Amino acid sequence: MKLNKKNMAVLVAALLCIAGLVIYGQNIRRPQVLEFGMFGDSYWEVANADGYVIIDKAIKKFEKLHPEIKIHYYSGIPKDDYEEWLARKILKGDAPDVFMILSEDFSHMVSLGLLENLDKEIQEDKSVEIRDYYETSLEAGKIDDRQYALPYETVPTLMFVNKTLLEKEGIPVPDADWSWDDLYRICKKVTKDLDGDGRLDQFGTYNYGWLEALYSNDGKIFDPQGKKCYLTSERTEESVRFIQRINELYQGEKVTRETFDAGNVAFMPLSFAEYRTYKTYPYKIKKYSDFQWDCITLPAGSMGDNISRVDSLLIGISSESRQKDMAWEFLKMLTNDREIQMELFRYSQGASVLKEVTNSKEAEEILKKDTEKSDKIIDHNLLNQVIMNGRVVKEFPKYKEALALAEGEVSKLYDSSTNVESALKITQRMVTNLLEK
């Protein structure tokens, strides 16, 4: 039978309809892919063999709740290569929907419009209580009071205490509200020549410098935008002079990590991630087998408090994502889900960004498992205090370069008789010139 034009048109329409239904059915069955950008090793510069465990758990939980979505990430990307990898993806117009953000890249990404402003999602999503997060951790993801990223993990800085050394010298472990004066008094008492060879070999501090002192003196070096430098401020000058006083106790001797590892140093600042790493096997066996130790707050300056730097790993959503609703749901899973956040205490070295999780007895019990009975663990009250009261340092594109210049110039002060006030003025001009280029 010959088909006339009318019948031919009906047949073609029917075939197109069938083909459309087949394609539609295939698309319905095929899950949407949400791309996640991450690095596999630790953000905190410590060993971590479980870099993917928490993410894989979060993905499994998310995909069970949203079977139409498939989360994909590239494994094996080291943190040192992550910035370049992400930049290539962005340049090709293939940015991940959700991705981890290095602190030095955050402000630059915001200025380029690469990150989604999350304020609307936070305000409209009733399942998210912004007050559940530590304010210091949230602050790390803000620019001009707008939230462009949420914190995933947070790490404060604490002060290591060699309890064995202090006991030998008849000195109690300082209270949480101790001061610079207390630190100086202890350093003066413990700094001595143990073997009688005429050279000092026991010291008060290792790696405690003017930056740590500055934060606990309520000072800062730069404004968040990296346009101003505060090296000539009264708080900075006082902090530099305080470290100079401590260094004078050491009579030109350089305190090394080996001295610290041998148990001949009373205090050293270290991050919570380092504390957790070195508390566990095999690191404790290799490094700290001959003395007991603990962590407390940093000493308060005359114009400050017992505070220290708090760093957070941020995660954001690409402004170019075509699946922003699902990207937001996955971001919530990583940063606001209590079960996933508790996994940070099991498989990472940081603390949860949720107050309820970090303050929980469950988190404290996890920390206790890696601690010898003779050592006091960091209880949730101390951890909560140092995170809540911590100093958030906003990095910017030239931050590391400007900081290295400032630190290098200030370090020269301790090896010369240069006037501190004059030297800081010169250094401020050098750093300001660098920031203005």
Side-chain angles (χ1 to χ4, degrees), residues 317-328:
I317 296 174
S318 169
S319 59
E320 299 300 319
S321 174
R322 298 179 181 179
Q323 306 178 80
K324 289 177 182 174
D325 288 344
M326 284 295 101
W328 168 248

Side-chain angles (χ1 to χ4, degrees), residues 73-337:
Y73 67 82
Y74 291 94
S75 61
I77 303 173
K79 175 176 172 280
D80 289 343
D81 298 335
Y82 178 73
E83 182 178 17
E84 183 180 347
W85 174 84
L86 184 59
R88 288 202 307 267
K89 297 280 285 184
I90 291 172
L91 287 173
K92 291 193 300 184
D94 190 28
D97 298 282
V98 184
F99 54 88
M100 293 179 174
I101 306 165
L102 302 181
S103 57
E104 60 264 33
D105 296 333
F106 175 60
S107 64
H108 190 51
M109 285 184 169
V110 172
S111 68
L112 293 176
L114 300 174
L115 290 172
E116 184 74 4
N117 184 335
L118 303 176
D119 288 342
K120 181 181 178 182
E121 285 77 7
I122 292 171
Q123 292 167 6
E124 295 180 354
D125 193 329
K126 302 305 180 184
S127 68
V128 174
E129 286 285 354
I130 207 67
R131 62 186 178 185
D132 291 344
Y133 294 92
Y134 282 106
E135 188 175 339
T136 49
S137 300
L138 279 175
E139 182 61 31
K142 286 182 179 180
I143 296 286
D144 295 331
D145 209 31
R146 298 183 180 93
Q147 199 78 46
Y148 288 96
L150 288 180
Y152 169 67
E153 184 176 11
T154 192
V155 165
T157 299
L158 305 105
M159 181 67 92
F160 163 90
V161 184
N162 185 330
K163 295 195 294 185
T164 302
L165 188 154
L166 292 188
E167 280 181 16
K168 181 187 69 173
E169 298 293 342
I171 303 170
V173 174
D175 294 328
D177 60 350
W178 66 315
S179 67
W180 281 1
D181 290 339
D182 297 321
L183 175 62
Y184 183 81
R185 175 179 50 81
I186 296 172
C187 288
K188 187 175 182 179
K189 184 173 182 178
V190 304
T191 300
K192 58 183 60 176
D193 173 14
L194 293 175
D195 56 16
D197 67 351
R199 295 183 61 179
L200 298 174
D201 42 33
Q202 179 173 283
F203 304 91
T205 61
Y206 167 71
N207 213 31
Y208 175 70
W210 64 279
L211 284 176
E212 286 78 20
L214 179 62
Y215 299 142
S216 63
N217 204 29
D218 198 25
K220 58 184 178 181
I221 315 174
F222 309 111
D223 69 329
Q225 294 75 34
K227 295 181 179 180
K228 294 181 180 179
C229 179
Y230 303 107
L231 283 170
T232 57
S233 72
E234 183 181 358
R235 297 175 192 274
T236 303
E237 183 177 338
E238 186 180 45
S239 302
V240 171
R241 289 186 185 279
F242 175 63
I243 299 303
Q244 190 176 48
R245 285 182 66 211
I246 289 182
N247 286 348
E248 287 171 354
L249 294 174
Y250 306 153
Q251 301 175 18
E253 294 289 342
K254 298 294 183 183
V255 187
T256 66
R257 187 60 181 253
E258 288 71 27
T259 311
F260 167 78
D261 291 345
N264 292 329
V265 178
F267 300 103
M268 182 189 80
L270 77 171
S271 73
F272 179 62
E274 291 176 296
Y275 174 87
R276 294 195 63 193
T277 301
Y278 294 145
K279 273 284 187 182
T280 57
Y281 179 86
Y283 300 98
K284 184 174 176 62
I285 303 301
K286 289 180 178 178
K287 289 182 175 287
Y288 309 118
S289 56
D290 295 331
F291 58 93
Q292 296 176 5
W293 56 293
D294 195 11
C295 284
I296 58 175
T297 58
L298 268 69
S302 65
M303 292 182 276
D305 206 341
N306 300 96
I307 61 176
S308 56
R309 178 168 176 168
V310 175
D311 292 303
S312 297
L313 172 56
L314 300 173
I315 300 180
I317 296 174
S318 169
S319 59
E320 299 300 319
S321 174
R322 298 179 181 179
Q323 306 178 80
K324 289 177 182 174
D325 288 344
M326 284 295 101
W328 168 248
E329 293 299 321
F330 187 54
L331 179 59
K332 281 198 304 179
M333 177 70 70
L334 293 172
T335 67
N336 197 251
D337 184 278

Side-chain angles (χ1 to χ4, degrees), residues 306-437:
N306 300 96
I307 61 176
S308 56
R309 178 168 176 168
V310 175
D311 292 303
S312 297
L313 172 56
L314 300 173
I315 300 180
I317 296 174
S318 169
S319 59
E320 299 300 319
S321 174
R322 298 179 181 179
Q323 306 178 80
K324 289 177 182 174
D325 288 344
M326 284 295 101
W328 168 248
E329 293 299 321
F330 187 54
L331 179 59
K332 281 198 304 179
M333 177 70 70
L334 293 172
T335 67
N336 197 251
D337 184 278
R338 281 134 183 84
E339 179 185 358
I340 299 303
Q341 280 286 303
M342 187 64 73
E343 299 293 85
L344 290 167
F345 285 99
R346 293 189 177 92
Y347 299 107
S348 188
Q349 302 89 356
S352 169
V353 297
L354 300 178
K355 289 179 281 189
E356 179 185 333
V357 174
T358 293
N359 264 317
S360 68
K361 282 293 184 182
E362 184 179 354
E364 190 169 295
E365 287 300 317
I366 295 171
L367 293 175
K368 190 181 295 184
K369 290 179 181 178
D370 295 328
T371 305
E372 293 186 358
K373 291 182 179 180
S374 59
D375 287 334
K376 177 186 173 184
I377 67 166
I378 297 179
D379 62 36
H380 57 265
N381 292 321
L382 172 61
L383 190 55
N384 182 63
Q385 177 187 348
V386 294
I387 296 174
M388 285 188 67
N389 300 332
R391 168 58 58 86
V392 178
V393 178
K394 295 290 185 71
E395 297 189 9
F396 44 87
K398 290 184 179 181
Y399 175 83
K400 284 185 168 55
E401 187 180 359
L403 180 62
L405 175 59
E407 287 188 300
E409 292 301 313
V410 171
S411 68
K412 295 176 183 177
L413 287 172
Y414 303 134
D415 298 320
S416 67
S417 57
T418 307
N419 178 271
V420 171
E421 183 180 359
S422 299
L424 288 176
K425 287 180 179 179
I426 295 171
T427 302
Q428 169 141 321
R429 285 198 294 269
M430 296 169 64
V431 173
T432 301
N433 289 337
L434 171 64
L435 295 175
E436 291 176 348
K437 286 183 180 178

Side-chain angles (χ1 to χ4, degrees), residues 14-123:
L15 291 172
L16 288 173
C17 184
I18 292 170
L21 288 172
V22 170
I23 294 171
Y24 176 76
Q26 290 176 339
N27 286 337
I28 288 295
R29 291 190 296 272
R30 186 183 301 129
Q32 297 176 338
V33 177
L34 195 71
E35 193 78 33
F36 178 54
M38 65 169 291
F39 42 85
D41 49 350
S42 173
Y43 184 62
W44 314 112
E45 309 296 341
V46 292
N48 180 21
D50 300 315
Y52 297 101
V53 174
I54 305 171
I55 299 299
D56 287 340
K57 284 177 177 286
I59 289 173
K60 183 177 180 180
K61 184 174 183 177
F62 182 84
E63 290 179 348
K64 186 175 181 180
L65 292 172
H66 305 280
E68 76 280 9
I69 300 294
K70 183 74 174 177
I71 305 291
H72 173 264
Y73 67 82
Y74 291 94
S75 61
I77 303 173
K79 175 176 172 280
D80 289 343
D81 298 335
Y82 178 73
E83 182 178 17
E84 183 180 347
W85 174 84
L86 184 59
R88 288 202 307 267
K89 297 280 285 184
I90 291 172
L91 287 173
K92 291 193 300 184
D94 190 28
D97 298 282
V98 184
F99 54 88
M100 293 179 174
I101 306 165
L102 302 181
S103 57
E104 60 264 33
D105 296 333
F106 175 60
S107 64
H108 190 51
M109 285 184 169
V110 172
S111 68
L112 293 176
L114 300 174
L115 290 172
E116 184 74 4
N117 184 335
L118 303 176
D119 288 342
K120 181 181 178 182
E121 285 77 7
I122 292 171
Q123 292 167 6

